[in-house]
């Protein structure tokens, strides 16, 4: 009997991310900020890709003042030239990109409304950032990852895709597109050792104000979950660290709900 072997490194449950370079879009606040701090604590170098430069620089300072290393880069993920400049800076400064976390999205500023009342301009803005931005960033990192024969792309979708949540049709549609993109991209990049997965959070409460969610709604959201408490960014950190590591080397094309069981069947 012929036994096929693999050239991949032997890994156990433990994951070593020391020295890894992780581009995290929208990392100037909220979930992205939590990811940046967690990866830095694990020894990685987060590239804080943020449209609002001051926010990105503030997070980078938080990390460096805690003894970690971080790079802040201003970027508009919906602009191809801006994304290419982001990649060029990361490669110039660190010479590698191990992981991309496509976290930037338009959501907290959206008002809940029936889909017939969504202005076309708002619809197009959501698609440009949430879908096109994810595509552009993944396209940019694909070349260096293919060359390295290793890479991790982690797309942040939403458990609203499974719920069919009303009054956010543009957001839910954009996040459904991210799941489809994840599955197709995994097929294309898998032969080069690059995995592509999606994390689907439930309503995650951060320091970012959400005027459309009342305290009563927050309680109601938690009540739909198997774990009946509000979700925080820290609840997503473990899944992101796992998917960025060699421990997940054979996991790709997956849409992983990290939502306290809100979409449990």
């Amino acid at each position: 009997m012929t036994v096929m072997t693999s050239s991949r490194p032997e890994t156990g449950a433990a994951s070593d991310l020391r020295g890894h370079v992780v581009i995290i879009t929208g990392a100037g606040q909220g979930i992205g900020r939590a990811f940046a701090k967690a990866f830095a604590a694990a020894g990685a170098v987060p590239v804080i890709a943020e449209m609002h430069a001051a926010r990105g620089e503030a997070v980078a300072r938080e990390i460096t003042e805690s003894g970690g290393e971080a790079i802040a880069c201003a970027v508009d993920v919906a602009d191809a030239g801006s994304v290419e400049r982001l990649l060029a800076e990361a490669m110039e400064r660190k010479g590698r990109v191990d992981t991309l976390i496509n976290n930037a999205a338009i959501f907290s500023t959206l008002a809940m409304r029936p889909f017939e009342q969504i202005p076309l301009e708002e619809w197009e803005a959501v698609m440009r950032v949430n879908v096109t931005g994810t595509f552009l960033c993944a396209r940019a990192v694909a070349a260096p990852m293919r060359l390295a024969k290793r890479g991790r792309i982690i797309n942040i979708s939403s458990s609203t895709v499974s719920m069919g949540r009303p009054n956010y049709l543009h957001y839910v549609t954009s996040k459904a597109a991210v799941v489809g993109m994840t599955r197709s991209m995994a097929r294309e990049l898998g032969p080069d050792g690059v995995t592509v997965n999606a994390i689907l959070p439930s309503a995650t409460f951060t320091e970012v104000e959400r005027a459309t969610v009342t305290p009563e709604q927050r309680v109601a959201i938690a009540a739909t979950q198997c774990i009946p408490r509000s979700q925080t960014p820290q609840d997503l950190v473990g899944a992101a660290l796992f998917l960025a590591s060699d421990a997940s080397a054979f996991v790709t094309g997956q849409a992983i709900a990290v939502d306290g069981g809100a979409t449990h069947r």
Side-chain angles (χ1 to χ4, degrees):
M1 180 177 68
T2 301
V3 178
M4 297 185 68
T5 60
S6 170
S7 60
R8 69 171 176 82
E10 290 296 322
T11 60
S15 304
D16 188 355
L17 295 174
R18 286 174 295 182
H20 282 219
V21 177
V22 184
I23 295 176
I24 307 168
T25 66
Q29 61 181 358
I31 293 171
R33 174 173 170 263
F35 285 157
K37 295 176 76 171
F39 274 88
V45 181
V47 178
I48 299 161
E50 170 63 48
M51 174 177 280
H52 304 282
R55 289 180 190 167
E57 290 162 4
V59 175
R61 279 196 304 273
E62 287 184 72
I63 290 169
T64 55
E65 288 171 1
S66 297
E69 182 181 356
I71 300 169
C73 294
V75 67
D76 176 358
V77 298
D79 180 85
S82 183
V83 170
E84 289 299 331
R85 289 189 293 275
L86 165 67
L87 176 65
E89 183 169 353
M91 294 299 292
E92 180 180 350
R93 294 183 63 172
K94 302 305 296 185
R96 59 192 283 183
V97 174
D98 298 281
T99 298
L100 164 67
I101 303 181
N102 276 311
N103 169 72
I106 296 175
F107 175 57
S108 61
T109 58
L110 298 175
M112 297 179 69
R113 62 182 114 201
F115 78 89
E116 305 100 317
Q117 297 175 17
I118 295 173
L120 179 59
E121 296 79 9
E122 187 174 283
W123 172 277
E124 290 176 339
V126 169
M127 296 303 159
R128 200 160 54 244
V129 172
N130 298 11
V131 181
T132 303
T134 297
F135 161 72
L136 289 174
C137 291
R139 185 179 70 171
V141 303
M145 287 183 176
R146 284 185 191 272
L147 190 62
K149 295 297 180 184
R150 185 203 181 278
R152 304 283 182 263
I153 296 175
I154 304 169
N155 297 323
I156 306 302
S157 179
S158 171
S159 64
T160 59
V161 171
S162 301
M163 297 174 187
R165 186 176 178 183
N167 299 317
Y168 280 121
L169 187 70
H170 41 2
Y171 176 77
V172 176
T173 301
S174 72
K175 291 303 187 178
V178 167
V179 172
M181 191 187 308
T182 296
R183 291 171 174 162
S184 185
M185 201 176 284
R187 294 282 184 186
E188 295 196 38
L189 294 176
D192 288 307
V194 180
T195 66
V196 189
N197 292 287
I199 295 174
L200 284 64
S202 183
T204 305
F205 293 93
T206 72
E207 77 278 11
V208 181
E209 289 293 328
R210 295 260 309 275
T212 56
V213 179
T214 66
E216 293 76 19
Q217 287 172 321
R218 183 166 174 163
V219 170
I221 289 168
T224 67
Q225 301 164 183
C226 298
I227 302 171
R229 63 163 175 80
S230 293
Q231 182 163 4
T232 73
Q234 289 303 315
D235 294 318
L236 302 168
V237 163
L241 291 171
F242 167 69
L243 291 174
S245 74
D246 284 337
S248 66
F250 211 57
V251 178
T252 196
Q254 301 305 305
I256 301 172
V258 183
D259 62 2
T263 54
H264 172 61
R265 295 290 186 270

